[in-house]
């Protein structure tokens, strides 16, 4: 079974690994068959995953509906995280975290998720037009009303985290973090530690790159957003193979895969980190779950860090249009 972790000082208990569900409906090519997706989500639950991540804009809306149906039989045994923050729930449009919008999303998400409470409600991206105090205050009211249990932020900067936390304690920050993107180590992780906030890394496998299944010859589906990511250009994929080679070498010594090693490395960083790798494939799900019981010693982590520090990752993690929305 998968060990449990507590996100910061909040008391919210989750499986050490969650399941990021976006890719089942959105972002990485065509949506997978609904029955297959339900099967995958239920297999994750059976294997001990109790933490499921979605958002209204995944689809839009279809991912929440999928989760609602898949998790209905054991709703009280799982933690469901979803998100608000885009105009009309469409990530291609502008940001909207107005209090009225947050309330509207809450009601709509509850219906789609077939539930009467949201365990963890994230602001998907910081909205520069709405003071974060108003956002936190609105979620605080929703918590008092019992519709939401915990408040989260996604891709927020340190100043925003502090301001929000002062109004309504933030249970978790969800941002990208992996051996492929280590920026949070500078300011974010020390701030979360100081404030007692949990960390939920998304793309913990570098959008699939750290699995070793992607090289310079890989062709992505035309609708796959990695086509727009500078880090995934052909030449950068070739240059960044050095990191995968390192992971393969260390993983081989542990009878593990590069993906398992990458996740185990994240779990070894802090006891309040719970990554949410996503997958559409049952065998990958089982592989990821194997990381939860792969223990790395302090020496192991140090060895990986030393070797990784000599590798310079090429290419930005987002195109400019998306980069503007993060770290606010």
């Amino acid at each position: 079974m998968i060990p449990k972790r507590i996100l910061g000082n909040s008391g919210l208990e989750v499986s050490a690994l969650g399941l990021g569900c976006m890719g089942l409906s959105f972002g990485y090519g065509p949506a997978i068959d609904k029955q297959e997706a339900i099967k995958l989500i239920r297999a994750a639950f059976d294997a001990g995953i109790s933490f499921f991540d979605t958002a209204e804009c995944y689809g839009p809306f279809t991912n929440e509906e999928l989760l609602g149906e898949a998790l209905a039989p054991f709703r009280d045994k799982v933690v469901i995280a979803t998100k608000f923050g885009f105009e009309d729930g469409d990530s291609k449009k502008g940001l909207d975290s107005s209090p009225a919008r947050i309330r509207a999303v809450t009601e709509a998400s509850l219906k789609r998720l077939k539930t009467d409470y949201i365990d963890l409600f994230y602001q998907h991206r910081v909205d520069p037009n709405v003071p974060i105090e108003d956002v936190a205050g609105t979620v605080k009211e929703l918590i008092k009303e019992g519709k939401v249990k915990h408040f989260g932020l996604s891709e927020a900067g340190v100043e925003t985290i502090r301001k929000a936390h002062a109004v309504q304690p933030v249970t978790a920050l969800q941002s990208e973090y992996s051996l492929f993107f280590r920026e949070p180590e500078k300011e974010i992780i020390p701030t979360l530690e100081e404030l007692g906030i949990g960390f939920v890394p998304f793309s913990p496998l570098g959008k699939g790159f750290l699995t070793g299944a992607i090289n310079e010859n890989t062709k992505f589906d035309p609708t796959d957003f990695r086509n727009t990511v500078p880090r995934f250009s052909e030449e950068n994929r070739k240059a960044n193979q050095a990191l995968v080679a390192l992971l393969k070498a260390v993983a081989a010594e542990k009878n593990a895969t590069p993906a398992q090693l990458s996740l185990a490395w994240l779990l070894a960083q802090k006891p309040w980190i719970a990554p949410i790798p996503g997958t559409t494939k049952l065998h990958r799900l089982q592989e990821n779950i194997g990381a939860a019981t792969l223990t790395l010693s302090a020496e192991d982590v140090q060895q990986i860090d030393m070797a990784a520090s000599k590798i310079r990752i090429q290419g930005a993690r987002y195109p400019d249009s998306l980069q503007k929305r993060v770290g606010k």
Side-chain angles (χ1 to χ4, degrees), residues 167-220:
V167 176
Q168 167 60 42
V170 177
T171 291
L173 175 79
Q174 179 177 135
S175 290
E176 184 169 352
Y177 180 42
S178 69
L179 276 160
F180 204 36
F181 180 72
R182 297 180 63 171
E183 187 73 23
E185 292 171 357
K186 291 179 190 159
E187 287 189 334
I188 294 290
I189 289 175
T191 302
L192 299 181
E193 185 136 51
E194 176 203 330
L195 298 175
I197 298 171
F199 191 23
V200 177
F202 70 78
S203 298
L205 297 173
K207 301 181 174 65
F209 191 77
L210 301 181
T211 62
I214 292 170
N215 61 33
E216 70 265 32
N217 303 317
T218 303
K219 295 280 177 267
F220 298 114

Side-chain angles (χ1 to χ4, degrees), residues 130-191:
V130 182
I132 194 66
E133 293 84 352
D134 294 358
V135 174
T138 305
V139 177
K140 185 178 191 137
E141 287 164 14
L142 291 164
I143 290 172
K144 281 200 185 104
E145 291 161 28
K147 290 174 180 174
V148 172
K149 302 279 189 202
H150 295 269
F151 174 38
L153 295 171
S154 179
E155 290 278 22
V158 167
E159 199 180 322
T160 299
I161 295 167
R162 289 188 184 281
K163 284 181 181 170
H165 192 67
V167 176
Q168 167 60 42
V170 177
T171 291
L173 175 79
Q174 179 177 135
S175 290
E176 184 169 352
Y177 180 42
S178 69
L179 276 160
F180 204 36
F181 180 72
R182 297 180 63 171
E183 187 73 23
E185 292 171 357
K186 291 179 190 159
E187 287 189 334
I188 294 290
I189 289 175
T191 302

Side-chain angles (χ1 to χ4, degrees), residues 20 43 51 59 63 75-77 79 90 93 111 146 149 151 159 168 177 227 231 250-252 255 300 319 326:
F51 186 28
N63 200 248
R75 170 64 187 104
D76 57 338
K77 295 183 175 67
V79 170
D90 184 346
K93 292 189 178 178
K111 280 198 188 72
K149 302 279 189 202
F151 174 38
E159 199 180 322
Q168 167 60 42
Y177 180 42
N227 289 312
R231 190 163 287 190
V250 181
N255 291 325
D300 292 332
V326 301

Side-chain angles (χ1 to χ4, degrees), residues 9-304:
N9 298 340
S10 66
L12 181 60
E13 189 181 64
V14 296
S15 48
L17 287 175
L19 182 66
C21 297
M22 177 182 89
L24 297 170
S25 315
F26 178 79
Y28 290 104
I32 74 165
D33 173 75
K34 190 177 180 186
Q35 290 315 310
E36 289 300 307
I38 288 173
K39 206 186 289 180
L40 184 97
I41 291 165
R42 290 183 177 166
F45 175 76
D46 290 342
I49 288 180
S50 62
F51 186 28
F52 295 86
D53 184 85
T54 183
E56 63 157 357
C57 74
Y58 299 160
F61 315 125
T62 50
N63 200 248
E64 283 186 332
E65 287 163 0
L66 169 66
L67 243 68
E69 189 172 328
L71 298 173
F74 30 83
R75 170 64 187 104
D76 57 338
K77 295 183 175 67
V78 296
V79 170
I80 299 177
T82 192
K83 311 178 192 79
F84 62 85
F86 289 109
E87 198 181 312
D88 303 328
D90 184 346
S91 58
K92 292 181 186 66
K93 292 189 178 178
L95 299 166
D96 184 357
S97 281
S98 60
R101 176 74 196 147
I102 297 172
R103 287 194 164 274
V105 176
T106 306
E107 298 307 328
S109 290
L110 288 171
K111 280 198 188 72
R112 288 190 290 265
L113 290 165
K114 295 183 172 25
T115 183
D116 48 15
Y117 63 95
I118 294 163
D119 296 283
L120 177 55
F121 205 25
Y122 291 106
Q123 182 188 34
H124 208 146
R125 291 290 181 269
V126 176
D127 184 345
N129 300 317
V130 182
I132 194 66
E133 293 84 352
D134 294 358
V135 174
T138 305
V139 177
K140 185 178 191 137
E141 287 164 14
L142 291 164
I143 290 172
K144 281 200 185 104
E145 291 161 28
K147 290 174 180 174
V148 172
K149 302 279 189 202
H150 295 269
F151 174 38
L153 295 171
S154 179
E155 290 278 22
V158 167
E159 199 180 322
T160 299
I161 295 167
R162 289 188 184 281
K163 284 181 181 170
H165 192 67
V167 176
Q168 167 60 42
V170 177
T171 291
L173 175 79
Q174 179 177 135
S175 290
E176 184 169 352
Y177 180 42
S178 69
L179 276 160
F180 204 36
F181 180 72
R182 297 180 63 171
E183 187 73 23
E185 292 171 357
K186 291 179 190 159
E187 287 189 334
I188 294 290
I189 289 175
T191 302
L192 299 181
E193 185 136 51
E194 176 203 330
L195 298 175
I197 298 171
F199 191 23
V200 177
F202 70 78
S203 298
L205 297 173
K207 301 181 174 65
F209 191 77
L210 301 181
T211 62
I214 292 170
N215 61 33
E216 70 265 32
N217 303 317
T218 303
K219 295 280 177 267
F220 298 114
D221 183 89
T223 61
D224 190 313
F225 90 105
R226 285 172 294 191
N227 289 312
T228 68
V229 174
R231 190 163 287 190
F232 279 86
S233 75
E234 205 172 305
E235 65 197 82
N236 287 335
R237 275 183 275 156
K238 193 172 181 177
N240 293 330
Q241 285 301 324
L243 179 59
V244 177
L246 160 68
L247 292 173
K248 281 181 175 166
V250 181
E253 293 167 20
K254 306 241 166 245
N255 291 325
T257 67
Q260 288 171 335
L261 186 74
S262 303
L263 293 170
W265 177 86
L266 270 177
L267 290 169
Q269 298 305 308
K270 298 288 176 189
W272 36 267
I273 287 180
I276 48 167
T279 183
T280 58
K281 300 180 183 76
L282 218 44
H283 71 277
R284 285 291 190 192
L285 174 70
Q286 284 148 354
E287 179 186 342
N288 291 346
I289 286 167
T293 47
L294 173 62
T295 309
L296 299 180
S297 66
E299 287 76 19
D300 292 332
V301 173
Q302 204 176 357
Q303 180 201 349
I304 295 165

